[in-house]
Amino acid sequence: MYRQNRNKKYLENLGQEENYCLTVDCYPGVDDEIFDLIKEIYKPDFVIKSEDVFYEKDELNKMMKPFLTENRVRGVIYYGKMDDFIDDIKLAQYQSLASHKGRVLIYGVGSSYIHKGDTLIYCDLARWKIQLRYRKCMPNFKQDNDDEDVLKKIKRGFFIEQK
């Protein structure tokens, strides 16, 4: 409880700053509950969600297809980088927006690619928790595959999204 109060107080103090950029980078699967909590305490003037700089879902699926074999469980590890899935044009636009005056909040998977911020927070989640969320119909990153076979979602997360 002490740590929660200390973190809340820290965010409240950041919210007092006139021009400040808070970047909250997240592991895939961290839900928007954290985002809502931070937004409520920090009270940003401007919010950027990092998922907007990534390619759209159809393009992501096309890029990931070679690594997602027909087998439900086995796949091929993707050895590239997360920024391979980021649209450079969108990234440049959002990097420009990140320099906005006031309190800026950049939130989500890969948000530190947009801007490191004056403060960078990383929200992590154990793989087991993510697997449980997939079982409860959580979709993969930027997908609408809520009802897809759980093992396929876990495979995509393990071999590509969460490496």
Side-chain angles (χ1 to χ4, degrees):
M1 192 64 157
Y2 170 74
R3 178 177 275 167
Q4 286 178 332
N5 289 336
R6 188 179 67 189
N7 292 341
K8 183 178 179 186
K9 193 70 157 165
Y10 180 76
L11 287 172
E12 286 172 345
N13 288 337
L14 293 181
Q16 311 259 332
E17 297 286 334
E18 193 172 316
N19 292 311
Y20 202 86
C21 182
L22 175 61
T23 301
V24 182
D25 209 325
C26 301
Y27 198 74
V30 173
D31 58 26
D32 284 342
E33 183 179 309
I34 301 296
F35 170 64
D36 293 337
L37 177 68
I38 290 171
K39 195 167 63 168
E40 181 182 315
I41 296 169
Y42 178 59
K43 297 182 183 2
D45 298 320
F46 192 70
V47 176
I48 296 172
K49 291 204 74 172
S50 65
E51 70 182 42
D52 294 337
V53 302
F54 287 85
Y55 290 108
E56 296 304 320
K57 73 175 186 167
D58 293 337
E59 181 65 19
L60 289 174
N61 288 337
K62 192 169 101 179
M63 294 169 78
M64 293 179 186
K65 187 173 182 163
F67 304 94
L68 299 172
T69 61
E70 293 302 315
N71 184 293
R72 296 173 59 208
V73 179
R74 294 191 176 101
V76 178
I77 291 283
Y78 179 72
Y79 287 104
K81 298 177 189 167
M82 182 185 293
D83 63 347
D84 296 340
F85 301 109
I86 293 176
D87 183 324
D88 291 332
I89 295 168
K90 289 180 183 178
L91 179 62
Q93 291 169 344
Y94 281 94
Q95 285 173 330
S96 175
L97 286 174
S99 63
H100 186 270
K101 296 291 182 204
R103 285 185 310 278
V104 178
L105 172 60
I106 305 171
Y107 179 86
V109 174
S111 60
S112 60
Y113 282 101
I114 298 169
H115 194 285
K116 299 280 190 242
D118 296 303
T119 297
L120 173 61
I121 297 172
Y122 183 70
C123 296
D124 201 356
L125 190 64
R127 284 187 191 208
W128 175 244
K129 288 287 189 182
I130 292 171
Q131 289 180 16
L132 293 176
R133 289 180 182 188
Y134 285 144
R135 291 176 186 172
K136 291 182 180 179
C137 296
M138 180 184 83
N140 287 97
F141 180 68
K142 283 201 74 154
Q143 298 299 305
D144 55 7
N145 62 344
D146 308 46
D147 297 329
E148 187 175 24
D149 177 8
V150 173
L151 291 178
K152 286 184 177 183
K153 290 194 292 186
I154 291 171
K155 177 174 91 169
R156 180 184 178 126
F158 180 76
F159 286 105
I160 300 173
E161 294 173 359
Q162 301 164 10
K163 60 174 226 79

